[in-house]
mmCIF file of all heavy atoms in Angstrom:
data_model
loop_
_atom_site.group_PDB
_atom_site.id
_atom_site.type_symbol
_atom_site.label_atom_id
_atom_site.label_comp_id
_atom_site.label_asym_id
_atom_site.label_seq_id
_atom_site.Cartn_x
_atom_site.Cartn_y
_atom_site.Cartn_z
ATOM 1 N N SER A 15 -3.455 -7.542 0.861
ATOM 2 C CA SER A 15 -3.602 -6.847 2.137
ATOM 3 C C SER A 15 -4.010 -7.803 3.251
ATOM 4 O O SER A 15 -3.823 -7.495 4.429
ATOM 5 C CB SER A 15 -4.614 -5.712 2.015
ATOM 6 O OG SER A 15 -5.900 -6.235 1.769
ATOM 7 N N LEU A 16 -4.544 -8.955 2.913
ATOM 8 C CA LEU A 16 -4.893 -9.947 3.929
ATOM 9 C C LEU A 16 -3.657 -10.509 4.629
ATOM 10 O O LEU A 16 -3.763 -11.074 5.710
ATOM 11 C CB LEU A 16 -5.702 -11.078 3.304
ATOM 12 C CG LEU A 16 -7.075 -10.688 2.763
ATOM 13 C CD1 LEU A 16 -7.723 -11.871 2.067
ATOM 14 C CD2 LEU A 16 -7.955 -10.155 3.864
ATOM 15 N N LEU A 17 -2.497 -10.333 4.035
ATOM 16 C CA LEU A 17 -1.261 -10.766 4.687
ATOM 17 C C LEU A 17 -0.986 -9.981 5.964
ATOM 18 O O LEU A 17 -0.180 -10.408 6.790
ATOM 19 C CB LEU A 17 -0.080 -10.641 3.728
ATOM 20 C CG LEU A 17 -0.069 -11.643 2.576
ATOM 21 C CD1 LEU A 17 1.034 -11.295 1.601
ATOM 22 C CD2 LEU A 17 0.093 -13.049 3.094
ATOM 23 N N PHE A 18 -1.653 -8.853 6.134
ATOM 24 C CA PHE A 18 -1.511 -8.091 7.378
ATOM 25 C C PHE A 18 -1.956 -8.930 8.566
ATOM 26 O O PHE A 18 -1.340 -8.897 9.628
ATOM 27 C CB PHE A 18 -2.328 -6.797 7.311
ATOM 28 C CG PHE A 18 -2.453 -6.099 8.627
ATOM 29 C CD1 PHE A 18 -1.387 -5.416 9.162
ATOM 30 C CD2 PHE A 18 -3.641 -6.135 9.335
ATOM 31 C CE1 PHE A 18 -1.494 -4.770 10.387
ATOM 32 C CE2 PHE A 18 -3.770 -5.497 10.548
ATOM 33 C CZ PHE A 18 -2.681 -4.806 11.074
ATOM 34 N N PHE A 19 -3.015 -9.703 8.398
ATOM 35 C CA PHE A 19 -3.535 -10.511 9.496
ATOM 36 C C PHE A 19 -2.648 -11.722 9.785
ATOM 37 O O PHE A 19 -2.666 -12.255 10.878
ATOM 38 C CB PHE A 19 -4.967 -10.953 9.196
ATOM 39 C CG PHE A 19 -5.904 -9.796 9.042
ATOM 40 C CD1 PHE A 19 -6.416 -9.465 7.805
ATOM 41 C CD2 PHE A 19 -6.250 -9.018 10.139
ATOM 42 C CE1 PHE A 19 -7.275 -8.389 7.659
ATOM 43 C CE2 PHE A 19 -7.105 -7.943 10.002
ATOM 44 C CZ PHE A 19 -7.618 -7.629 8.766
ATOM 45 N N VAL A 20 -1.870 -12.137 8.809
ATOM 46 C CA VAL A 20 -0.960 -13.263 8.998
ATOM 47 C C VAL A 20 0.360 -12.796 9.589
ATOM 48 O O VAL A 20 0.854 -13.344 10.567
ATOM 49 C CB VAL A 20 -0.725 -13.998 7.652
ATOM 50 C CG1 VAL A 20 0.289 -15.113 7.818
ATOM 51 C CG2 VAL A 20 -2.023 -14.521 7.095
ATOM 52 N N GLU A 21 0.937 -11.751 8.983
ATOM 53 C CA GLU A 21 2.255 -11.266 9.371
ATOM 54 C C GLU A 21 2.198 -10.181 10.439
ATOM 55 O O GLU A 21 3.131 -10.015 11.201
ATOM 56 C CB GLU A 21 3.000 -10.726 8.147
ATOM 57 C CG GLU A 21 3.300 -11.774 7.103
ATOM 58 C CD GLU A 21 4.364 -12.739 7.554
ATOM 59 O OE1 GLU A 21 5.301 -12.309 8.247
ATOM 60 O OE2 GLU A 21 4.248 -13.927 7.209
ATOM 61 N N GLY A 22 1.131 -9.390 10.442
ATOM 62 C CA GLY A 22 1.002 -8.298 11.404
ATOM 63 C C GLY A 22 1.780 -7.048 11.030
ATOM 64 O O GLY A 22 1.901 -6.136 11.836
ATOM 65 N N LYS A 23 2.291 -6.978 9.807
ATOM 66 C CA LYS A 23 3.059 -5.813 9.364
ATOM 67 C C LYS A 23 2.132 -4.844 8.640
ATOM 68 O O LYS A 23 1.455 -5.209 7.680
ATOM 69 C CB LYS A 23 4.186 -6.241 8.438
ATOM 70 C CG LYS A 23 5.205 -7.114 9.133
ATOM 71 C CD LYS A 23 6.300 -7.529 8.189
ATOM 72 C CE LYS A 23 7.271 -8.431 8.921
ATOM 73 N NZ LYS A 23 8.295 -8.946 8.033
ATOM 74 N N PHE A 26 1.603 -4.215 4.588
ATOM 75 C CA PHE A 26 0.705 -4.945 3.697
ATOM 76 C C PHE A 26 -0.611 -4.207 3.479
ATOM 77 O O PHE A 26 -1.332 -4.492 2.525
ATOM 78 C CB PHE A 26 0.427 -6.348 4.242
ATOM 79 C CG PHE A 26 1.600 -7.276 4.102
ATOM 80 C CD1 PHE A 26 2.226 -7.793 5.214
ATOM 81 C CD2 PHE A 26 2.077 -7.626 2.855
ATOM 82 C CE1 PHE A 26 3.304 -8.639 5.090
ATOM 83 C CE2 PHE A 26 3.156 -8.475 2.718
ATOM 84 C CZ PHE A 26 3.773 -8.981 3.839
#
Side-chain angles (χ1 to χ4, degrees):
S15 66
L16 295 175
L17 290 172
F18 169 74
F19 299 109
V20 176
E21 296 289 324
K23 296 180 182 176
F26 287 116

